[in-house]
Amino acid sequence: MTEQGELLDLVHIPIRPPRAGTPGEGIYLQLWQDYMAADPGRLHSILWSTGSSVGQREASVCASYMTFMGCNCGSCFTHAAEQLLTLSDLHSYTHSAEGRFLMAWALENRRSRGVNGGIRTIEAMLAKSDAFVATAFDRRVDWDAFSDITTADYDTVECMVAWWSGRDAAEMRAIAKSMIEAANKRIWSSIFKPQGANHD
């Protein structure tokens, strides 16, 4: 089968599905799926710098990245990266939008013991199951949830961060913004709740 045929066979679904109460996740995922359907070769173009083949795992990691960008953590990362674009005193590689987004990602993805149980952002993004399990007294990190994450996944996500800094991604964010706002307004509105439900 040709490379183009192999790309056509990929299914752009995340490792874990979008959450119903976080509409941005589903909206970004659907936009990504539409973007891939319009030109399946785009995935290879985005991931070319890894030097690796593009298969189902890479497609699922990219879809997981896009889903994650629709949650609060993804939104905060995007805002931090966009803020770096406004700074004028950075030099060298970080003059480019790509460099600044990658710099923001390095800060976002660092392991901090006091934040989210010490898990990295990529671990939360690509966990194969809930990253936390309840105990009798609190919640603890389920480190087995991250056992499938590889160095190739790190490369794939970094390619997605680089793509996220570009024109197509910026246009996608502009399209998604009003869609997410509308979906959130629907969730918050009392008119869609059953009669007698709490309208607070």
Side-chain angles (χ1 to χ4, degrees):
M1 183 181 292
T2 66
E3 180 179 276
Q4 184 69 11
E6 291 169 351
L7 290 171
L8 285 170
D9 288 339
L10 297 179
V11 181
H12 299 282
I13 55 171
I15 293 166
R16 286 182 298 148
R19 295 170 294 176
T22 311
E25 294 183 354
I27 288 168
Y28 270 127
L29 176 60
Q30 185 61 61
L31 290 172
W32 175 252
Q33 290 169 338
D34 294 346
Y35 183 72
M36 287 292 106
D39 181 0
R42 284 172 166 158
L43 191 63
H44 186 270
S45 297
I46 291 167
L47 301 180
W48 73 270
S49 66
T50 65
S52 302
S53 60
V54 177
Q56 185 56 53
R57 175 66 182 185
E58 288 74 24
S60 292
V61 168
C62 291
S64 297
Y65 173 91
M66 289 302 298
T67 302
F68 192 83
M69 289 302 107
C71 75
N72 285 339
C73 290
S75 178
C76 287
F77 158 66
T78 300
H79 178 71
E82 290 174 336
Q83 287 298 107
L84 285 180
L85 294 177
T86 68
L87 301 181
S88 60
D89 57 349
L90 298 179
H91 55 81
S92 185
Y93 178 62
T94 54
H95 268 315
S96 70
E98 179 179 316
R100 295 188 184 204
F101 270 64
L102 287 167
M103 184 167 64
W105 175 249
L107 293 171
E108 171 70 26
N109 193 47
R110 72 192 186 282
R111 192 180 302 285
S112 179
R113 184 176 179 183
V115 179
N116 291 332
I119 67 174
R120 294 184 186 274
T121 303
I122 195 170
E123 291 167 342
M125 183 187 296
L126 302 182
K128 59 187 175 183
S129 58
D130 194 337
F132 295 93
V133 293
T135 69
F137 304 103
D138 57 10
R139 296 190 316 156
R140 66 173 177 81
V141 175
D142 179 13
W143 294 100
D144 288 340
F146 318 129
S147 61
D148 290 348
I149 299 174
T150 67
T151 54
D153 294 340
Y154 273 76
D155 292 345
T156 298
V157 169
E158 285 184 0
C159 286
M160 286 299 292
V161 171
W163 176 82
W164 198 235
S165 72
R167 183 182 61 186
D168 284 2
E171 185 171 346
M172 190 179 291
R173 290 196 296 273
I175 293 167
K177 183 178 179 181
S178 60
M179 296 171 69
I180 293 170
E181 288 173 351
N184 281 326
K185 285 179 182 177
R186 180 185 174 95
I187 288 173
W188 299 331
S189 175
S190 62
I191 67 171
F192 300 107
K193 295 180 181 178
Q195 286 187 337
N198 186 347
H199 289 186
D200 292 341

